[in-house]
Amino acid sequence: MKMSSKLLLICLLVAALASLSEASIGGYICPYSSKKFLDIASKALKADTQDISSLYHAANSFKILNEAVPANLKPVACQTVKKLFNVETLEIDNLFYGVESFKLLGCDGKLSTEGVVKKVQDILQNEKSSVASLHYASKTQTFLGQQISNQAKLAQLVQAQLKTDDSLLSLGHALHLAASLGQSGKFITERIEDIVVQADEVDGKLLQWEGGLSTTSLIITGLLQFPASSPLNQPQADKLANYLLSRLTVQTPKGISALLEAAQALATSKVSPVSISVTGQNSVTLDNPNLKIQVSDIFGKPLKTALSPVVAQSATRIADDVVVLAKQPLNVGAKETEFVLPLKLEPGYYKILLNAGPHSTTLTARVLGPVQVKTFEIGLSDADQSSAPKLEKLTHPNKLNKKLQGDSGQNLLVKFTLSRQVHQAFLRLSSGKKEIIFVAGHESNSQYKVEADLGQELPISDSFNIELIIGDSIITNPFRWQVGEIEIKITNAPTVASLKTLRGPKPEIEHMFRKPEKRPAKAVSLLFTGLTAAPFLILLILWSRIGVNLSNFSMRAVPFHLGFGAILGLFTCFWLKLDMFVTCAWLIPVGGFTFFTGHRLLSHMARSKKPEKADK
């Protein structure tokens, strides 16, 4: 009773601590993802592209990941930037990408920026310039080493544009632009709360803005430039980080650059998400029980301020919800971000609640261990249970000294006990290509039993190998044990053909179609065929009596009539053997040809009749 009270107290304490703690993110941008991002960025740099923005995003990805652009890619990328950079044809955003990518790549020489300053000034002074254009123009001017001359006027232009277009994309650009305007940009702080409220929450775990990864990244990096306004709280930052981690499969340079920019902004902010996750495998063994936990930022790097203490508040066995561990501090590992939790527990699945300072998460771990056969008995019993079965004890991995002799009136009986319960326990009887597998029934205290009726299950005289198969997801030594052999003698045994009928495929089911109804007499069919053809015959008779006027026939009409005839022929083929899809596929070009030639024929006829009307 005292033990139950202690466990109840521990559960209540864990629940209270979990309610007071903040959740963490369950992953980070691992080295594998970083390598994949760099590979995609490298392909973009060496590609023969006409999109200057892809070069910027690729170079920016290398910068954020603190990796140098490969020396063999730099000359090609720089040459592409110089070739594509054209002040007359490029929009202001691509001009910004060109200037910045030239700088990020560390290209030799200078980029021809003649006319860029004038274009930037025209945009910054134009009252019709969009917020995005004003943002890119101001950044381009800054990169060229010039200051924004009239920040107050630029702030007024932005506010005026937001009255006509306050979409999330415009608000994201406005955040970045306002951050560069100093005191003049404080107008945007009134919109921060409204921007955050517009974020969409998914399953209570993810947070994003409409527009996808690019828009979400633009807003995150913009909001975090106003730390004094506390734009995001810790739960919101964690959910945004979870959204970024859900997009690690992105395959474009633009998406990778946006993801990394947002992750970097979160990692360097006051609300930097904390990643608490298992490094490597989430399974341990009884010989090596140390579970390695990593506590880091979203990039897998050490936190600016180390969190302590790192404690396993509880470990619950999933099979029966029993708390088996409480308030166990983790040991410091080999790395600065690594902690070690010894799980000296019985094999099974466990749910572990971890706390790192005010942050918490729940992880699932698996403890593996060996399984042993404690007892094993095998023998034969009468099917009518007229006498007690004779069972022979056997020790794993030994085999039976002699063959078991059975017949159709007996059952094969196997009883065994394992050191722990398993999910897969089978008894396999095989002879050549023939086999039958019995599932061992679990009784109690890890005891299993198989009882097979030889007359029903194996109705053929033959010698069979007996094999015990044990497996489970939490054992380290799954095995197949050759127990021995059994020879079965069946009186009046069925033939192999009858056995195949018993256990093989069933006879083929043939469908009986209804006999066709009797057709009408031949004379009736000919009569109705003649009635169907009667209108055409009447037309031929009238043509022979009245005559056919071919004087106005022109060679211009030949293509039209050929097309019309082809359509009739196609309909005939459709009636005989074609389906609707093939018919429509042919009808489109044939019908188009007929329409074109018919239009030309009618136009010619109309032009030829105009002089006659004029004479009248």
Side-chain angles (χ1 to χ4, degrees):
M1 191 69 181
K2 292 182 179 180
M3 189 63 182
S4 301
S5 301
K6 288 182 179 179
L7 290 176
L8 178 60
L9 182 60
I10 290 172
C11 292
L12 293 175
L13 182 59
V14 167
L17 288 172
S19 63
L20 294 174
S21 62
E22 298 173 348
S24 69
I25 59 176
Y28 60 97
I29 301 175
C30 62
Y32 171 79
S33 297
S34 299
K35 183 180 180 301
K36 185 193 73 171
F37 293 158
L38 293 176
D39 290 342
I40 296 174
S42 298
K43 290 179 181 178
L45 289 178
K46 65 182 179 182
D48 185 12
T49 181
Q50 298 297 317
D51 184 11
I52 199 170
S53 66
S54 65
L55 300 175
Y56 162 76
H57 294 305
N60 192 38
S61 300
F62 273 96
K63 175 190 174 184
I64 297 174
L65 292 174
N66 293 322
E67 294 287 342
V69 177
N72 61 323
L73 299 179
K74 189 181 297 185
V76 178
C78 291
Q79 186 178 358
T80 306
V81 172
K82 292 179 181 178
K83 181 180 70 173
L84 297 177
F85 193 81
N86 190 317
V87 180
E88 299 297 330
T89 59
L90 292 180
E91 297 294 333
I92 185 61
D93 56 341
N94 283 323
L95 288 177
F96 160 72
Y97 291 141
V99 173
E100 180 65 5
S101 59
F102 194 81
K103 177 183 177 183
L104 290 173
L105 291 169
C107 299
D108 298 328
K110 291 185 178 181
L111 192 65
S112 178
T113 58
E114 185 178 354
V116 176
V117 175
K118 183 179 182 304
K119 192 167 186 176
V120 166
Q121 291 295 340
D122 291 342
I123 293 173
L124 293 177
Q125 295 175 7
N126 190 347
E127 295 181 355
K128 296 183 179 180
S129 298
S130 65
V131 179
S133 297
L134 294 172
H135 173 215
Y136 286 120
S138 65
K139 293 188 73 171
T140 305
Q141 188 177 38
T142 303
F143 288 138
L144 292 176
Q146 297 187 357
Q147 298 293 328
I148 300 175
S149 57
N150 194 337
Q151 295 183 350
K153 182 180 178 181
L154 183 55
Q156 292 175 358
L157 287 177
V158 175
Q159 293 179 74
Q161 286 298 321
L162 289 178
K163 291 180 180 179
T164 58
D165 179 17
D166 63 346
S167 63
L168 286 171
L169 194 59
S170 294
L171 289 170
H173 285 291
L175 285 167
H176 285 265
L177 184 54
S180 64
L181 296 179
Q183 293 295 325
S184 300
K186 284 191 173 182
F187 68 89
I188 200 66
T189 56
E190 300 176 357
R191 305 294 301 271
I192 286 178
E193 184 177 352
D194 177 53
I195 295 172
V196 175
V197 168
Q198 294 186 56
D200 299 324
E201 190 169 336
V202 182
D203 296 333
K205 299 177 181 179
L206 310 180
L207 201 64
Q208 69 175 70
W209 280 274
E210 184 180 358
L213 182 58
S214 298
T215 303
T216 301
S217 174
L218 183 68
I219 294 177
I220 290 174
T221 52
L223 287 173
L224 294 177
Q225 294 186 52
F226 297 89
S229 301
S230 300
L232 298 173
N233 55 36
Q234 192 63 57
Q236 290 170 335
D238 291 340
K239 292 175 183 178
L240 289 170
N242 285 329
Y243 168 73
L244 296 178
L245 293 174
S246 72
R247 298 300 307 274
L248 289 178
T249 55
V250 64
Q251 297 290 324
T252 62
K254 181 180 179 180
I256 292 171
S257 177
L259 188 151
L260 293 176
E261 282 185 342
Q264 184 183 50
L266 286 171
T268 56
S269 68
K270 294 190 297 184
V271 289
S272 175
V274 175
S275 170
I276 305 177
S277 57
V278 178
T279 58
Q281 297 290 333
N282 69 333
S283 58
V284 298
T285 63
L286 297 180
D287 297 333
N288 185 15
N290 293 331
L291 183 68
K292 295 181 179 180
I293 306 295
Q294 177 170 294
V295 180
S296 64
D297 65 7
I298 193 172
F299 283 98
K301 297 179 180 179
L303 299 168
K304 292 183 294 184
T305 303
L307 298 176
S308 62
V310 180
V311 179
Q313 291 292 339
S314 68
T316 306
R317 188 164 52 228
I318 295 177
D320 50 13
D321 288 334
V322 174
V323 178
V324 295
L325 180 150
K327 281 195 170 183
Q328 180 171 333
L330 274 66
N331 302 323
V332 178
K335 301 178 183 177
E336 189 176 352
T337 59
E338 186 178 273
F339 295 85
V340 178
L341 174 63
L343 287 180
K344 297 179 180 179
L345 304 172
E346 286 295 316
Y349 286 90
Y350 294 89
K351 184 169 59 178
I352 303 171
L353 175 62
L354 285 173
N355 276 14
H359 299 269
S360 67
T361 191
T362 300
L363 304 174
T364 300
R366 181 177 57 166
V367 179
L368 308 178
V371 66
Q372 297 175 349
V373 181
K374 290 185 174 180
T375 63
F376 186 90
E377 294 178 295
I378 185 170
L380 298 170
S381 64
D382 294 331
D384 56 3
Q385 298 181 354
S386 58
S387 61
K390 297 179 180 179
L391 300 180
E392 182 177 349
K393 294 183 179 181
L394 202 60
T395 304
H396 179 262
N398 298 329
K399 293 180 64 175
L400 289 170
N401 296 326
K402 59 181 180 178
K403 284 186 180 181
L404 295 176
Q405 302 293 330
D407 55 40
S408 58
Q410 291 179 310
N411 293 345
L412 176 63
L413 181 61
V414 176
K415 295 180 179 181
F416 59 94
T417 305
L418 302 177
S419 57
R420 62 176 51 88
Q421 185 178 348
V422 297
H423 284 106
Q424 298 172 339
F426 307 107
L427 190 71
R428 177 175 178 264
L429 273 66
S430 61
S431 176
K433 294 184 179 180
K434 302 188 292 291
E435 72 169 8
I436 183 169
I437 297 177
F438 301 94
V439 179
H442 178 256
E443 295 187 328
S444 61
N445 297 326
S446 301
Q447 294 181 353
Y448 295 84
K449 178 181 177 181
V450 176
E451 189 169 7
D453 188 335
L454 300 180
Q456 293 292 330
E457 300 294 346
L458 299 168
I460 185 172
S461 296
D462 205 343
S463 180
F464 292 88
N465 293 320
I466 305 173
E467 183 181 24
L468 181 67
I469 303 174
I470 300 296
D472 201 300
S473 60
I474 60 170
I475 65 175
T476 56
N477 62 331
F479 61 86
R480 301 175 68 157
W481 177 18
Q482 296 290 339
V483 175
E485 295 182 60
I486 180 172
E487 186 174 353
I488 303 174
K489 293 183 179 180
I490 306 295
T491 55
N492 300 324
T495 63
V496 175
S498 62
L499 184 63
K500 288 184 178 179
T501 305
L502 179 65
R503 290 194 172 274
K506 299 297 182 182
E508 181 181 358
I509 299 175
E510 296 182 359
H511 182 70
M512 299 296 294
F513 291 93
R514 187 180 64 180
K515 292 183 178 180
E517 297 181 359
K518 188 177 181 181
R519 292 188 176 185
K522 185 176 181 180
V524 176
S525 300
L526 292 174
L527 174 62
F528 277 91
T529 302
L531 292 175
T532 304
F536 182 68
L537 296 175
I538 294 172
L539 177 64
L540 294 178
I541 294 171
L542 291 177
W543 276 355
S544 63
R545 296 286 301 274
I546 300 174
V548 181
N549 182 14
L550 299 176
S551 59
N552 291 330
F553 185 80
S554 172
M555 292 302 295
R556 294 177 179 270
V558 174
F560 169 73
H561 286 88
L562 289 176
F564 185 69
I567 292 176
L568 295 178
L570 184 61
F571 285 164
T572 303
C573 293
F574 170 65
W575 183 47
L576 294 176
K577 62 178 182 179
L578 296 182
D579 56 39
M580 181 176 63
F581 299 102
V582 176
T583 304
C584 289
W586 280 99
L587 184 61
I588 292 173
V590 174
F593 172 78
T594 306
F595 174 79
F596 176 72
T597 55
H599 183 270
R600 290 192 62 186
L601 177 62
L602 291 175
S603 299
H604 173 71
M605 294 174 63
R607 287 194 301 270
S608 63
K609 290 181 179 180
K610 283 184 179 180
E612 298 178 5
K613 291 184 178 181
D615 294 340
K616 292 180 180 181

